[in-house]
């Protein structure tokens, strides 16, 4: 297992390097030279030239890239043109928000989707099954921004049972920082008022974000369970007299969960992409909205750091999924 | 023909086909079907934000334009994006996948590493960055989407080619001294086609959604294009009174993507028994 | 007995669970846009005025509507007869919020810092051609100008005073402390930045400074904590006001939302005539915009009536000249252009005959976040199509567009923006927009060049007498309108949604009423 892990990590490194190269090229072909933005609104053309020389924008692209690599190796990811703070500070402050939202959405997807999919499979071709099947295909056809708008209208405005935006009410203080995940931190430090408030606030964004993955997880669980149910050994065990629920929960689930776990790896990427829209509409201060801000303001250091971060997270999740795969299904582990 | 009959027996697949065909027809004949085709770019502020009526079944938007006509006209943007992006991605991705899977050594490795790089970041983020660089417009959004979607096809084709490379008929062809090019394109490709077709169909729906998100974020279609995502973005501040402005374009997106998904599922069940998920 | 102990237990539990802030602090939630960072010398736009007015102080300050200059950190000033030397007498006993004394040398330091950072806030001072700023004694600040500059007093409020002692320990290399001051405060203002929990452009907390030099006697229940929360979408902001999640919205409330908010009992819509003109810029250096007939054609093709009357529901004043009509110096007898497609066509035909490439694709940039610019763009595009002109819309952002205006080649063909009241003098509008010496700045992005106008504007800048200046500006404005340098649409009636519980909202065109020290909550 350890050898597998090491090998996988080593394989990821050239990919991340390639990603950095790709992003660097993309960012530096920008028609709007960051020199003008750095120099400020009043700079004379001569001052802009001075800034360009000072930051090395006039040197060949390759040299600029290696200078950047050297800085990154020393842990210096640069400063944001907009906020004036190190990019690492900006991202580090916002990352927990997105992680919390993503975990919540994934949790909803798994803890609702698996039972739903199993139930639908067990009640194959009955009413519930048809409804669930419609949902699994329809759920991924809904535009998330449209869903978010509608949910906000209904629950936050019309029914007024949930808040409109943000992670917490403005008048509520954030919990003491342990992980940056408000739900966890507030529970652990006993601040139930904050926990309750944060829970209210994360509900709509999590539902919106989870919709697509809920549909996918339900779908894959359903077909996985159906397939296993039709396998010979299950039919044999049914004939012999094992109770249905035992069969389903113990044997069937374990074998069908493999497909679902694979999906989770792919879904993580979709969730990161989905967070862009959700964070914009619900004012969730995470890295999704930060990425959009950086792209719109051509904040090139921020864009580079964000790309690297997303690539690393994505790779880490995929490796983790492979490992879990190996744990669940020993046959897969043998092939590693 | 047997396949076709099997397909017809699947109700949801047929519904999907009907929706897709209807969308294609609407898109082709849009300027004739839309009651007010000039509203694609013409504004009449005096009639702004009026609710659904006989003259305007879907109401009017913030510049007095007929929402019904604009939804119909928007189908052109949706379908052309879907078609162009998916075909572009196929044109780039399939040959690369074949080469990567069939070849060995540096070519194959490089192709697959580059594919991995593009797949290392969620497509939307990369497309967003590219669209911003090229300048926001529908054309550039399509380009950005094509340049970020081809890896998905490459992956599938690579896996299929790898699998088929070791099969008997390929060995036979190699024994007969058939050229690699011929083997890849004339023999492996047709066998790898089923999952490609399924993926492409579902990809059409997925592309429409992603293009709508780019339009919503202001990085895709630009005003006054009647693109559905852009319409939802512009409609936000007139909610909840002018509900029609946001609802109908949103429903249009849903219906068309839903149709493609159903169709794709139906095709999958029929033409690729291996991939068939239990019904 | 039993009941009593249960009661005590229940009470203790309630107290433990409800344990939050002990006493009632006055807290307000501010829902306006946040600036990119909080260094007062790094930015100079509408959002940054929130920091500049509340966290920092200036020598003189604008108050009220119409805006009048009030002595602030300075208690008086004297100007030499030749207009080249200005001296300001500071009040005695001033301190920064940190407790450090505030003296003339701090003003000198602040001036030097603004100029060294050379960002937008340095602009007005560069135009003033200040030779030196010195502190002859602890309470006097002396500005020596190279030549007389009539608007000098008007631009003095632009300078915010920062505390050298707080900034110096954090200076890195030649960043002038920007790396630190961008997320902290070193001012003397009524409020202080609370750096904990600051997320740039997302959330910022301000805490009241009880030691503020102006005192709190005018406001018995001042607001102790202001929580600024940025909201990305206009629709969400309006909904948040209705729900009570925020207490104040931004100053660009869409006119369509006014009726909706007026129906809500908990919200008041503030309507104030401001000094903020809405302009559609034309890059006079790029053909066909270098042809005056073409520019006139464009000026006749915008439907001012429908835009102001229908789309903006008359929440704006038609303002056909390059400065607000409620400011002295406005050319009273200038009619400007009206919407007339026939006249437009005639002018365009003249332009075409002279060889101007009127049928090329013209790119009109609008601001992605500001919907009015998008609507204006679409309306204009639709009408221009009727006379055969090919305009395509480009969504863009303020930082990108202002950076592009640095060179005539990269400056957009056309773009739409407002010019707000940064300081109250025609110089803020017509002076800095149409004098060719300012080419390369966003205000002068029309790259208009007329030697006679330059002469008039430079004379107006130098002469101290307002009556004479009025005459000069009016004459310059007439010429600029005749040359149709840009398309001036309206003067803003600022609309802002404010919670009914907020009292003391004092509007001024400078700052849009965001001075917090007047406000209290009912």
């Amino acid at each position: 297992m350890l050898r597998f892990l090491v090998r996988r990590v080593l394989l990821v490194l050239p990919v991340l390097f390639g990603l950095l190269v790709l992003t660097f090229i993309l960012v530096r072909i920008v028609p709007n030279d960051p020199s003008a933005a750095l120099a400020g609104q009043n700079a004379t053309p001569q001052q802009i030239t001075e800034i360009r020389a000072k930051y090395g924008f006039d040197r060949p692209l390759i040299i600029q890239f290696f200078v950047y690599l050297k800085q990154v190796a020393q842990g210096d990811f640069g400063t944001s043109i907009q906020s004036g703070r190190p990019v690492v500070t900006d991202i580090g402050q916002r990352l927990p928000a997105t992680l919390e939202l993503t975990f919540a959405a994934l949790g909803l997807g798994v803890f609702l989707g698996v039972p739903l999919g199993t139930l639908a499979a067990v009640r194959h071709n009955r009413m519930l099954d048809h409804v669930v099947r419609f949902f699994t295909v329809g759920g991924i056809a809904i535009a998330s921004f449209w869903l978010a708008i509608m949910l906000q209208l209904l629950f936050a405005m019309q029914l007024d049972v949930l808040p409109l935006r943000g992670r917490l009410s403005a008048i509520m203080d954030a919990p003491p920082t342990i992980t940056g995940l408000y739900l966890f931190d507030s529970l652990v430090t006993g601040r139930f008022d904050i926990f309750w408030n944060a829970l209210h606030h994360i509900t709509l964004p999590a539902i919106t974000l989870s919709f697509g993955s809920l549909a996918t997880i339900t779908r894959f669980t359903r077909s996985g369970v159906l397939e296993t149910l039709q396998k010979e050994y299950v039919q044999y065990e049914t004939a012999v007299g094992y109770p249905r629920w035992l069969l389903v929960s113990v044997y069937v689930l374990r074998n069908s969960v493999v497909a679902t776990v694979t999906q989770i790896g792919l879904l993580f990427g979709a969730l990161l992409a989905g967070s862009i829209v959700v964070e914009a509409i619900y004012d969730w201060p995470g890295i999704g909205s930060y990425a959009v801000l950086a792209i719109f303001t051509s904040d090139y250091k921020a864009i580079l750091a964000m790309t690297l971060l997303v690539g690393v997270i994505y790779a880490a999740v995929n490796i983790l999924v492979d490992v879990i795969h190996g744990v669940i299904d020993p046959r897969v582990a043998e092939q590693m | 023909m047997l396949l076709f009959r099997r397909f017809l027996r699947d109700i949801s697949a047929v519904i999907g086909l009907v929706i897709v065909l209807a969308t294609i027809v609407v898109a082709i004949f849009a300027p004739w079907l839309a009651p007010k085709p000039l509203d694609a770019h013409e504004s009449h502020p005096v009639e702004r934000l009026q609710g659904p009526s006989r003259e305007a079944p879907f109401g009017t938007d913030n510049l007095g334009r007929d929402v019904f006509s604009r939804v119909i006209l928007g189908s052109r943007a949706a379908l052309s994006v879907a078609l162009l992006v998916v075909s572009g991605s196929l044109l780039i991705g399939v040959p690369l996948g074949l080469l990567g899977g069939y070849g060995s050594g540096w070519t194959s490795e490089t192709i697959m590493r580059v594919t991995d790089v593009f797949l290392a970041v969620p497509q939307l983020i990369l497309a967003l960055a590219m669209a911003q660089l090229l300048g926001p417009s529908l054309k550039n959004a399509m380009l950005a989407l094509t340049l970020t979607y081809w890896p998905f096809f490459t992956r599938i084709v690579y896996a299929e080619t790898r699998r088929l490379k070791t099969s008997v008929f390929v060995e036979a062809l190699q024994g007969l001294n058939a050229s690699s090019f011929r083997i890849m394109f004339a023999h492996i490709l047709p066998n790898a086609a089923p999952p490609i077709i399924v993926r492409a169909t579902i990809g059409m729906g997925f592309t429409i959604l992603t293009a709508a998100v780019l339009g919503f974020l202001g990085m895709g279609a630009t005003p006054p294009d009647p693109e559905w995502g852009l319409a939802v973005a512009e409609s936000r501040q007139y909610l909840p009174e002018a509900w029609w402005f946001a609802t109908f374009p949103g429903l249009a997106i849903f219906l068309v993507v839903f149709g493609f998904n159903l169709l794709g599922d139906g095709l999958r069940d029929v033409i690729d028994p291996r991939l068939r998920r239990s019904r | 007995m039993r009941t009593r102990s249960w009661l005590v237990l229940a009470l203790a539990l309630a107290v433990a669970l409800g344990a939050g802030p002990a006493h009632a602090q006055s807290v307000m939630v501010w829902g306006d846009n946040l600036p990119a960072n909080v260094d007062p010398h790094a930015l100079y736009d509408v959002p940054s005025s929130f920091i500049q007015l509340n966290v920092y102080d200036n020598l003189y300050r604008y108050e009220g509507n119409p805006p009048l200059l009030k002595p602030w950190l300075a208690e008086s000033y004297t100007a030499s007869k030749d207009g080249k030397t200005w001296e300001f007498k500071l009040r005695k006993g001033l301190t920064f919020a940190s407790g450090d004394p505030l003296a003339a040398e701090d003003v000198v330091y602040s001036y030097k810092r603004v100029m060294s950072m050379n960002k937008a806030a340095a602009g007005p001072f560069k135009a003033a051609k200040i030779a030196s700023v010195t502190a002859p004694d602890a309470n006097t600040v002396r500005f020596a100008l190279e030549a007389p500059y009539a608007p000098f007093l008007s631009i003095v409020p632009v300078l915010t005073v920062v505390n050298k002692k707080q900034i110096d320990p954090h200076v890195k290399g030649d960043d002038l402390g920007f790396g630190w001051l961008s997320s902290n405060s070193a001012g003397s203002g009524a409020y202080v930045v609370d750096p904990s929990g600051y997320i740039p452009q997302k959330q910022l907390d301000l805490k009241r400074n009880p030691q503020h030099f102006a005192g709190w006697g005018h406001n018995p229940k001042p607001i102790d904590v202001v929580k600024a929360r940025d909201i990305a979408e206009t629709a969400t902001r309006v909904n948040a006001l209705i729900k009570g999640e925020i207490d104040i919205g931004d100053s660009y409330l869409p006119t369509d939302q006014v009726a909706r908010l007026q129906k809500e009992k908990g919200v008041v819509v503030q309507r104030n005539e401001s000094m903020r003109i809405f302009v559609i810029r034309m890059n006079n250096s790029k053909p066909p915009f270098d042809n005056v007939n073409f520019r006139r054609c464009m000026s006749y093709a915008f439907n001012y009536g429908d835009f102001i009357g229908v789309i903006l529901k008359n929440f704006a004043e038609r303002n056909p000249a390059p400065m607000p009509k409620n400011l002295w110096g406005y050319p009273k007898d200038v009619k400007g252009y009206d919407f007339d497609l026939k006249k437009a066509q005639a002018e365009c035909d003249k332009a075409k005959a002279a060889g101007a490439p009127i049928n090329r694709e013209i790119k009109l940039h609008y601001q992605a976040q500001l919907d009015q610019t998008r609507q204006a763009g679409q309306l204009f595009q639709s009408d221009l199509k009727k006379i055969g002109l090919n305009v395509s819309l480009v969504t863009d952002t303020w930082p990108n567009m202002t950076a592009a205006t640095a060179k005539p080649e990269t400056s957009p063909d056309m773009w739409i923006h407002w010019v707000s009241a940064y300081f109250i003098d025609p110089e803020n509008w017509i002076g800095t927009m149409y004098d060719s010496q300012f080419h390369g700045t966003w205000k002068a992005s029309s790259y208009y060049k007329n030697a006679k106008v330059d002469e008039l504007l430079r004379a107006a800048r130098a002469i101290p007498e307002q009556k004479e200046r009025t005459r000069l500006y009016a004459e310059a404005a007439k010429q600029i309108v005749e040359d149709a340098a840009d398309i001036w649409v309206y003067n803003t009636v600022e609309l802002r949604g404010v919670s009914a519980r907020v009292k003391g909202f004092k509007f001024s065109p400078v700052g849009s009423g965001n001075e917090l020290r007047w406000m209290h909550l009912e």
Side-chain angles (χ1 to χ4, degrees), chain A:
Chain A
M1 177 60 74
L2 191 64
R3 220 181 31 168
F4 163 77
L5 214 63
V6 168
R7 214 182 59 185
R8 280 290 256 119
V9 170
L10 285 178
L11 277 178
V12 160
L13 291 177
V15 173
L16 289 178
F17 183 80
L19 185 62
L20 210 56
V21 170
L22 177 68
T23 316
F24 197 85
I25 295 175
L26 280 181
V27 165
R28 298 299 291 112
I29 308 180
V30 179
N32 295 324
D33 191 333
S35 320
L38 273 170
Q41 285 175 10
N42 269 322
T44 62
Q46 198 225 341
Q47 273 155 342
I48 296 180
T49 316
E50 283 169 20
I51 295 252
R52 186 173 292 126
K54 178 174 157 200
Y55 283 88
F57 292 145
D58 49 355
R59 292 148 92 192
L61 218 61
I62 301 199
I63 302 218
Q64 289 186 46
F65 182 66
F66 278 107
V67 167
Y68 179 69
L69 273 189
K70 200 176 98 172
Q71 289 168 335
V72 166
Q74 294 166 340
D76 172 20
F77 286 87
T79 313
S80 160
I81 299 176
Q82 290 281 302
S83 74
R85 306 195 308 183
V87 165
V88 180
T89 313
D90 281 346
I91 293 181
Q93 196 180 32
R94 289 183 175 236
L95 185 60
T98 303
L99 286 179
E100 188 177 41
L101 185 58
T102 311
F103 288 151
L106 207 54
L108 265 180
V110 169
F111 291 113
L112 276 183
V114 171
L116 206 59
T118 314
L119 213 58
V122 162
R123 299 207 184 297
H124 186 39
N125 276 332
R126 304 238 211 106
M127 191 61 204
L128 178 71
D129 187 28
H130 285 300
V131 169
V132 169
R133 277 177 53 201
F134 176 82
F135 165 69
T136 61
V137 185
I140 49 178
I142 293 188
S144 58
F145 55 88
W146 189 75
L147 179 66
I149 294 171
M150 294 299 148
L151 284 177
Q152 255 188 344
L153 261 185
L154 180 62
F155 289 102
M157 297 306 294
Q158 204 92 308
L159 297 176
D160 203 355
V161 290
L162 286 173
L164 202 55
R165 53 166 297 283
R167 290 181 83 187
L168 284 177
S169 299
I171 47 177
M172 177 116 344
D173 294 321
T177 313
I178 306 175
T179 57
L181 309 175
Y182 285 3
L183 292 172
F184 180 80
D185 290 349
S186 55
L187 265 184
V188 161
T189 53
R191 292 295 304 271
F192 296 109
D193 53 340
I194 300 181
F195 176 77
W196 200 228
N197 192 287
L199 194 63
H200 268 112
H201 278 82
I202 203 174
T203 307
L204 284 183
I207 292 179
T208 311
L209 190 58
S210 74
F211 224 65
S213 24
L214 180 61
T216 312
I217 292 178
T218 309
R219 178 203 181 95
F220 276 89
T221 310
R222 180 185 164 279
S223 36
V225 170
L226 267 180
E227 250 184 70
T228 319
L229 276 177
Q230 284 162 10
K231 289 256 166 60
E232 283 186 2
Y233 69 86
V234 174
Q235 296 185 359
Y236 171 73
E237 283 162 352
T238 321
V240 163
Y242 277 65
R244 182 95 153 157
W245 59 267
L246 180 66
L247 287 173
V248 170
S249 39
V250 175
Y251 296 103
V252 174
L253 263 187
R254 200 192 323 151
N255 284 290
S256 8
V257 145
V258 173
T260 314
V261 168
T262 324
Q263 285 307 303
I264 291 181
L266 292 170
L267 282 175
F268 210 79
L271 286 172
L272 280 179
S275 71
I276 289 180
V277 171
V278 172
E279 288 183 16
I281 296 186
Y282 291 104
D283 285 317
W284 199 262
I287 58 174
S289 55
Y290 186 70
V292 175
L293 187 64
I295 291 175
F296 276 33
T297 54
S298 305
D299 199 344
Y300 74 109
K301 281 274 160 75
I303 297 176
L304 286 168
M306 273 295 308
T307 317
L308 201 58
L309 175 70
V310 172
V312 166
I313 293 180
Y314 209 26
V317 168
N318 278 319
I319 295 180
L320 192 66
V321 164
D322 280 349
V323 167
I324 295 180
H325 240 162
V327 165
I328 296 179
D329 193 342
R331 289 174 298 169
V332 176
E334 273 171 37
Q335 288 172 16
M336 298 183 196

Side-chain angles (χ1 to χ4, degrees), chain B:
Chain B
M1 271 309 103
L2 197 69
L3 283 177
F4 193 59
R5 267 206 262 143
R6 252 184 41 209
F7 181 84
L8 283 178
R9 251 187 265 143
D10 182 356
I11 306 177
S12 44
V14 172
I15 295 178
L17 182 64
V18 167
I19 295 177
V20 171
L21 286 176
T23 313
I24 295 176
V25 167
V26 167
I28 295 177
F29 295 104
W32 295 276
L33 286 171
K36 299 213 177 77
L38 291 174
D39 278 7
H41 52 81
E42 238 180 48
S43 318
H44 349 99
V46 184
E47 288 142 33
R48 64 199 301 262
L49 298 175
Q50 289 170 350
S53 63
R54 199 102 58 83
E55 300 89 42
F58 286 175
T60 60
D61 68 9
N62 63 314
L63 287 170
R65 304 176 294 202
D66 178 26
V67 175
F68 183 61
S69 302
R70 285 176 68 84
V71 167
I72 290 180
L73 292 163
S75 64
R76 283 202 155 177
L79 272 190
S80 51
V81 170
L83 222 73
L84 288 171
V85 170
V86 171
S87 3
S89 311
L90 283 173
L91 274 170
I92 303 176
V94 170
L96 282 180
L98 283 171
L99 265 173
Y102 191 74
S104 48
W106 276 118
T107 342
S108 169
E109 274 306 301
T110 323
I111 293 179
M112 291 329 285
R113 287 310 125 231
V114 171
T115 314
D116 280 345
V117 166
F118 273 83
L119 287 172
V121 175
Q123 188 202 14
L124 180 62
I125 298 179
L126 212 51
L128 201 62
M130 275 193 205
Q132 157 78 345
L133 286 173
L134 299 167
S137 77
L138 196 57
K139 264 193 241 131
N140 290 336
M142 289 198 268
L143 185 64
L145 286 175
T146 310
L147 289 175
T148 49
Y149 200 47
W150 63 263
F152 291 90
F153 291 111
T154 309
R155 266 267 183 93
I156 300 173
V157 175
Y158 172 80
E160 287 293 302
T161 314
R162 265 292 205 250
R163 192 178 60 83
L164 289 167
K165 185 174 162 186
T166 54
S167 58
V168 177
F169 81 94
V170 169
E171 274 185 45
L173 283 163
Q174 285 169 333
L176 288 173
N177 254 333
S179 73
S180 303
F181 187 80
R182 200 185 149 84
I183 296 179
M184 283 194 292
F185 284 92
H187 297 279
I188 295 187
L189 182 55
N191 280 288
I196 300 178
I197 296 177
V198 172
R199 182 85 218 204
T201 314
I202 298 186
M204 303 270 283
F206 179 70
T207 306
I208 294 177
L209 265 183
T210 317
V213 173
L214 285 179
F216 179 79
L217 291 173
M219 279 296 135
T222 46
D225 282 353
E227 200 258 330
W228 295 331
L230 186 59
V232 177
E234 290 179 336
S235 71
R236 287 213 62 199
Q237 52 169 307
Y238 306 102
L239 292 167
E241 288 88 20
W243 56 269
W244 53 89
F245 190 3
T247 310
F248 294 112
L251 279 179
I253 298 176
F254 173 71
L255 201 63
V256 174
V257 178
F258 188 58
F260 274 109
N261 287 351
L262 283 179
L263 181 60
D265 273 357
L267 283 175
R268 169 192 282 141
D269 291 341
V270 159
I271 65 181
D272 192 348
R274 277 175 299 116
L275 280 186
R276 180 140 69 104
R277 311 305 296 175
S278 310
R279 311 292 274 143

